Amino acid sequence: MPDAVCVRFAPSPTGFLHVGGVRTALFNWLFARGQGGRFLLRIEDTDRERSRPEFTDQILESLKWLGLDWDGEPVHQSQRGELHRRALDRMLAEGTAFRCFVPLEAAREAVERAKQTDGQAAFFSPDRDLDPDEARRRADTGEPHVIRFRCPEGETVCQDLIVGEVRVDHRTIGDIVLARSDGAPTYNFVVVVDDSDMGITHVIRGMDHISNTPKQILIFQALGLPVPRFAHIPLINGPDKRKLSKRHGAVTTDEFMAMGILPEAMVNYMALLGWSPGDDREIFTRDELIEAFSLERVGKSAAVFDPDKLRWLNGVALRALDDEAFVAWARSAPALQGNPRLSDTDWFASVALMMKERASTWEELVHLLEPFLSEEITFDDAAVAKHLGKPTARPVLEAVTDMLEGLDELTNPDAIEQRLRDLSEKMEIKFGLLVHPCRVALTGRDRGAGLTEVMVALGRDRCVRRLREGMDRAGALGQ
């Protein structure tokens, strides 16, 4: 086996890249980069009916977005037919494979009968004893057949780098199909041929592939090829401990991009799904992950995908951006495109930066910006009842309105806050009894940016209008 580490990510372009694929690609990439090895990309596009070029494009763009750069050009499995055929012909010639004329349905029925009699859960074809020349003649006449692996007796032992020792009795494997009746090679066969040809030293993949491993080891051995090391990483479940799917929310990279998730946050979070650094650290740079990652610290139990944790990490990553980068991220929110207020560049930047400590996704950002970008705002009923329903609400809103009407414009937050504090002392009320009804009247909610920041961003005229409307709401509540 070559000394240099070489791993691969081998997605099938039958759908968009999802969380499980991202984590597999990331673990392979981190292992390769940490070991000074190579990270190769193989597109397993032999499923002619379901493979789509648009899925391939999405996979490539997703990996680029994540910053998971691969070495060399992507390998397309569908373009390696000649290599697969040569390996298959060699196995036929050496007797490790044979032509089987038993229909697949009959083979399945034989397995069911075997299960009931001796517990054998695999198919061993009677055609394994056919004379090869006779089998070739029957095939040449067009008789339907598949090509099967001649499974030997015994067991296969795999020392998995994560799971540990895995032993499989060959009676549970049987004479597996290497090529279908139309000549198309099967997954377990082409994976072996391609991994060997590409010099793969370590196969790092999801736990759902562990049943394929003994079959592939047998094919490696039949071809006289070095067997790579295997490492099966735990599956990913949703918060309800069931297999992660769309019912749990976003699961594809496109969906996370559409949320405004930063690639740095995505990589940071995905690395922690099934892997532990051995301490309490949760925030990592890409270089820190490369240095810290090891297969020894990958767990065996299923990981739980927590969308809230991802959003939290994205908020951390957003706050780490410089102001210019954060504003650029904010301006890119799909829901804001076409809003005329974006053309006021300096104003939008100032308003967006008010939300830097509060927003963790584009959806949250748009919600926070709604009072500033829309003339009509949405009121939180609970906030209205709580703060505009107080006896002091209407007098406060009236007093603040009068104060603002006496100003030319609102430009200095500190000066405005001092005026508001002076007003609360004059009215002999706590400052909070002044701030909360004003914030609700101005934004429709009782949480958000500081009141004076809100006032400056809205401008005097809009503040006065909304405060007067707030007085009407307070009046409707009996105040």
Side-chain angles (χ1 to χ4, degrees):
M1 185 184 296
D3 292 331
V5 163
C6 184
V7 300
R8 47 74 166 176
F9 176 51
S12 175
T14 56
F16 293 122
L17 184 62
H18 55 80
V19 165
V22 169
R23 203 267 308 268
T24 298
L26 176 60
F27 280 18
N28 275 277
W29 184 85
L30 289 173
F31 182 71
R33 296 295 177 252
Q35 298 291 321
R38 304 179 72 216
F39 172 68
L40 306 183
L41 177 61
R42 182 171 74 228
I43 305 298
E44 298 194 335
D45 55 352
T46 54
D47 188 332
R48 300 165 186 168
E49 293 184 1
R50 297 171 57 218
S51 294
R52 297 284 184 273
E54 58 267 29
F55 293 144
T56 298
D57 293 341
Q58 188 268 350
I59 291 169
L60 298 179
E61 289 305 313
S62 296
L63 293 176
K64 291 175 184 176
W65 173 68
L66 291 164
L68 304 184
D69 57 319
W70 56 88
D71 298 298
E73 293 298 318
V75 170
H76 290 263
Q77 200 170 59
S78 61
Q79 299 173 8
R80 300 167 68 81
E82 183 59 32
L83 180 70
H84 303 149
R85 280 190 292 274
R86 288 200 304 269
L88 197 60
D89 289 344
R90 176 184 161 191
M91 292 184 72
L92 284 169
E94 294 177 352
T96 54
F98 63 93
R99 295 176 176 86
C100 175
F101 300 89
V102 178
L104 291 180
E105 184 59 36
R108 283 191 285 267
E109 291 174 357
V111 170
E112 290 302 316
R113 288 195 300 271
K115 284 181 183 179
Q116 295 172 9
T117 56
D118 61 8
Q120 178 178 292
F123 177 68
F124 289 85
S125 173
D127 290 350
R128 61 179 11 234
D129 298 323
L130 274 179
D131 178 77
D133 291 333
E134 179 188 346
R136 187 183 306 108
R137 285 193 298 271
R138 289 173 63 179
D140 290 343
T141 65
E143 186 174 348
H145 67 283
V146 298
I147 296 177
R148 289 185 179 272
F149 173 69
R150 190 185 303 276
C151 186
E153 294 182 355
E155 68 174 6
T156 290
V157 180
C158 173
Q159 295 295 336
D160 190 278
L161 294 172
I162 295 171
V163 178
E165 183 177 272
V166 178
R167 290 180 173 270
V168 177
D169 191 315
H170 293 177
R171 289 177 298 177
T172 67
I173 295 175
D175 297 337
I176 60 174
V177 175
L178 300 181
R180 302 178 183 89
S181 58
D182 62 357
T186 59
Y187 166 78
N188 282 312
F189 175 67
V190 294
V191 162
V192 168
V193 176
D194 289 339
D195 280 349
S196 176
D197 182 69
M198 295 169 70
I200 302 303
T201 62
H202 294 73
V203 175
I204 305 170
R205 58 189 179 187
M207 197 76 75
D208 51 333
H209 280 284
I210 199 165
S211 62
N212 292 320
T213 299
K215 303 170 187 175
Q216 292 168 12
I217 289 175
L218 284 171
I219 298 171
F220 274 111
Q221 293 171 340
L223 287 166
L225 302 172
V227 179
R229 302 297 304 275
F230 288 90
H232 290 89
I233 57 182
L235 300 180
I236 302 176
N237 291 336
D240 58 1
K241 306 301 175 63
R242 298 170 66 186
K243 183 179 178 181
L244 189 68
S245 67
K246 283 191 173 294
R247 70 173 177 272
H248 296 108
V251 293
T252 67
T253 49
D254 281 13
E255 291 170 308
F256 292 113
M257 290 184 205
M259 290 169 61
I261 300 296
L262 298 178
E264 294 83 356
M266 194 74 187
V267 166
N268 189 157
Y269 180 68
M270 296 306 300
L272 298 173
L273 278 183
W275 170 77
S276 169
D279 53 34
D280 295 331
R281 283 185 297 168
E282 293 186 305
I283 311 299
F284 289 86
T285 65
R286 199 174 296 256
D287 289 341
E288 288 170 343
L289 283 173
I290 291 172
E291 183 178 356
F293 183 82
S294 69
L295 291 175
E296 290 77 12
R297 299 208 65 85
V298 175
K300 301 177 184 179
S301 302
V304 176
F305 185 85
D306 183 355
D308 292 335
K309 184 69 171 290
L310 174 59
R311 284 192 288 269
W312 174 76
L313 278 171
N314 201 54
V316 172
L318 286 169
R319 290 188 286 278
L321 296 176
D322 61 40
D323 288 352
E324 183 178 356
F326 179 83
V327 172
W329 173 83
R331 291 184 66 87
S332 300
L336 297 183
Q337 303 314 300
N339 191 296
R341 298 308 300 272
L342 266 66
S343 61
D344 191 341
T345 306
D346 292 340
W347 176 85
F348 178 79
S350 67
V351 175
L353 289 172
M354 289 165 51
M355 311 308 169
K356 190 174 182 181
E357 297 296 319
R358 299 173 176 86
S360 59
T361 64
W362 274 329
E363 182 180 10
E364 291 178 5
L365 175 76
V366 170
H367 175 71
L368 291 167
L369 292 180
E370 185 241 4
F372 305 94
L373 300 180
S374 303
E375 287 305 315
E376 299 300 324
I377 59 177
T378 303
F379 283 86
D380 180 279
D381 292 339
V384 170
K386 181 178 179 180
H387 297 294
L388 296 188
K390 284 186 168 59
T392 54
R394 185 179 175 88
V396 161
L397 296 177
E398 187 172 3
V400 173
T401 301
D402 291 341
M403 183 201 78
L404 294 181
E405 287 183 319
L407 302 176
D408 291 333
E409 193 43 80
L410 310 181
T411 57
N412 188 329
D414 293 337
I416 297 170
E417 180 166 350
Q418 187 56 56
R419 285 177 175 270
L420 292 173
R421 289 191 179 278
D422 291 343
L423 187 58
S424 70
E425 290 182 11
K426 181 179 178 181
M427 298 181 71
E428 298 182 342
I429 61 172
K430 293 180 179 179
F431 192 55
L433 289 175
L434 182 145
V435 169
H436 293 308
C438 287
R439 181 183 281 115
V440 173
L442 294 174
T443 67
R445 54 199 72 155
D446 57 0
R447 292 180 178 83
L451 178 59
T452 55
E453 293 179 289
V454 170
M455 287 180 165
V456 170
L458 288 174
R460 190 196 65 175
D461 292 344
R462 279 210 289 178
C463 283
V464 168
R465 177 174 63 80
R466 290 185 183 181
L467 289 171
R468 291 192 181 282
E469 291 173 354
M471 282 187 267
D472 292 340
R473 287 181 179 274
L477 292 172
Q479 303 305 327

